[in-house]
Amino acid sequence: MSILITGGAGYIGSHTSVELLKQGEDLVLLDNFSNSKPEVLDKIKEITGKEFRFYEGDMIDETVLHKIFTENHIEAVIDFAAYKAVGESVQKPVEYYINNVSTVLVLLNTMKKHGVKTLVFSSSATVYGDPEKVPITEETKTGGTTNPYGTSKYMVEQILKDLYHSDPEWNIAILRYFNPVGAHESGLIGEEPKGIPANLMPYIARVAAGSLKELSIFGNDYDTKDGTGVRDYIHVVDLAIGHFKALEKLRKDHQGLHIYNLGTGVGYSVLDMVKAFENANHVKVPYKIAPRRAGDIAVCYADPTKAKEELDFVATRSLEDMCRDSWNYQKNS
């Protein structure tokens, strides 16, 4: 039995592939390289010493998915195939809805045809919109999203709830990520955005490396301790382990719809992150204050209790680990 990982060469997909291969899982990866590189596949093999099957294709193409399900004995799917930049989604809403929603409909339809009803879905804390209070539990109201990226994830969550309501044989885990950062400790895989990074940590790393002049901090007038936005940053390897824990939960329960926050429960401001990166790596990160970015909110961090109690999942890597591993990957790339 194999696990299909869509978006398997991407940032979170590649790290999750590494962790699942280390656990002895048999993997099939699908990616169209729209936001990843083919050489990542070799690096996954180099880190793990394990083989896996790979298909290049787009998840909107049902013929590709049908081929995968026909040629492999797929037990479950972990779906990472989505665009993920909040700011870009405000500029390109149609592209985000096609890629993040329509593709999932094609995937679910194909899974249904082949009798595969186990899914781990990559969602986001952006489904909470601008939360009424923090920390955010899984019971916090969703909707009221502030950008098309978050709305696309909210839409898919609704689709999955409707699907489960129509057929309780489905076995679904919805994982609401907070802010993934860091890289594998080997420095072989990490976050590699094309163009100017939309996410904070790779932007900081590129400024520290001198490939970008300075970091733009979008807004210093939020209602936070230093005026900059506060987020819950989780190491990508911890996040990847969370997916394995979710998969184990689905195997044990056989059916159900489960929702989990994956975060640390600690909020750090943008300026906290800059200082932590400088201290961990003994580098300077020049920055300037820029206007607020459309779609951003002031504060967002998790209450991770449910994942601890039901998945036995706790993020263990520190802020220093996140900063050090990000810099290590930047130096190696």
Side-chain angles (χ1 to χ4, degrees):
M1 300 286 277
S2 301
I3 309 299
L4 171 60
I5 300 186
T6 68
Y11 176 42
I12 303 170
S14 62
H15 286 82
T16 301
S17 296
V18 165
E19 294 307 312
L20 265 61
L21 287 166
K22 282 168 57 178
Q23 294 289 341
E25 298 289 345
D26 190 56
L27 299 188
V28 178
L29 273 56
L30 169 66
D31 208 296
N32 64 2
F33 300 123
S34 66
N35 199 27
S36 59
K37 295 179 179 178
E39 49 264 36
V40 169
L41 303 173
D42 293 327
K43 291 174 180 178
I44 294 171
K45 292 175 183 175
E46 184 179 342
I47 292 167
T48 62
K50 304 279 183 70
E51 292 292 326
F52 52 84
R53 290 176 298 290
F54 174 74
Y55 292 79
E56 183 175 355
D58 199 307
M59 211 165 80
I60 200 81
D61 184 354
E62 193 167 357
T63 59
V64 173
L65 289 174
H66 177 69
K67 179 178 171 68
I68 291 171
F69 280 88
T70 302
E71 294 180 356
N72 302 276
H73 195 183
I74 302 296
E75 169 196 359
V77 179
I78 304 179
D79 178 28
F80 295 108
Y83 296 152
K84 63 181 179 68
V86 166
E88 183 183 60
S89 77
V90 176
Q91 304 300 321
K92 299 180 177 181
V94 173
E95 290 88 339
Y96 268 69
Y97 290 126
I98 291 172
N99 191 71
N100 292 8
V101 182
S102 298
T103 55
V104 177
L105 293 172
V106 176
L107 173 65
L108 293 173
N109 198 39
T110 308
M111 290 175 69
K112 188 176 176 183
K113 286 178 180 176
H114 289 269
V116 179
K117 295 185 177 182
T118 302
L119 173 70
V120 178
F121 176 66
S122 167
S123 191
S124 165
T126 53
V127 300
Y128 295 114
D130 195 347
E132 293 169 1
K133 63 177 182 177
V134 289
I136 298 167
T137 72
E138 289 81 357
E139 302 306 313
T140 299
K141 182 172 172 282
T142 57
T145 48
T146 61
N147 55 75
Y149 167 71
T151 306
S152 74
K153 293 297 186 181
Y154 176 71
M155 285 176 170
V156 175
E157 287 198 10
Q158 291 301 121
I159 289 165
L160 294 176
K161 290 173 184 176
D162 290 343
L163 177 63
Y164 177 70
H165 181 73
S166 73
D167 180 2
E169 288 185 0
W170 277 85
N171 199 12
I172 299 168
I174 293 171
L175 304 183
R176 293 173 177 161
Y177 311 163
F178 281 70
N179 287 62
V181 296
H184 192 268
E185 62 183 7
S186 66
L188 290 172
I189 57 173
E191 190 168 9
E192 187 68 31
K194 294 180 179 177
I196 295 176
N199 294 331
L200 179 63
M201 191 63 91
Y203 205 137
I204 289 175
R206 289 191 186 178
V207 170
S211 57
L212 291 173
K213 179 186 172 187
E214 60 189 358
L215 171 69
S216 292
I217 295 178
F218 297 106
N220 67 342
D221 57 349
Y222 288 105
D223 185 16
T224 62
K225 64 177 184 176
D226 59 24
T228 65
V230 170
R231 297 292 183 269
D232 185 337
Y233 295 93
I234 179 171
H235 197 295
V236 67
V237 175
D238 280 332
L239 188 63
I241 291 168
H243 288 77
F244 177 69
K245 298 276 192 176
L247 185 63
E248 284 189 312
K249 166 80 172 171
L250 295 183
R251 283 171 168 160
K252 187 172 70 177
D253 288 4
H254 302 298
Q255 61 188 54
L257 188 144
H258 312 275
I259 299 173
Y260 300 102
N261 289 335
L262 294 186
T264 65
V266 179
Y268 292 104
S269 74
V270 177
L271 286 175
D272 285 337
M273 297 299 286
V274 171
K275 290 169 189 168
F277 193 94
E278 290 181 332
N279 292 337
N281 301 310
H282 310 293
V283 292
K284 288 300 292 178
V285 181
Y287 65 85
K288 67 176 181 181
I289 303 300
R292 290 188 184 192
R293 188 170 56 177
D296 278 347
I297 60 174
V299 179
C300 179
Y301 62 93
D303 179 340
T305 304
K306 186 180 177 186
K308 180 180 180 180
E309 292 176 348
E310 296 190 15
L311 301 181
D312 189 30
F313 170 74
V314 177
T316 60
R317 287 160 180 80
S318 67
L319 181 57
E320 184 177 351
D321 294 331
M322 299 176 206
C323 293
R324 187 188 60 247
D325 291 340
S326 294
W327 183 231
N328 185 38
Y329 176 71
Q330 177 65 46
K331 289 187 294 184
N332 283 339
S333 59

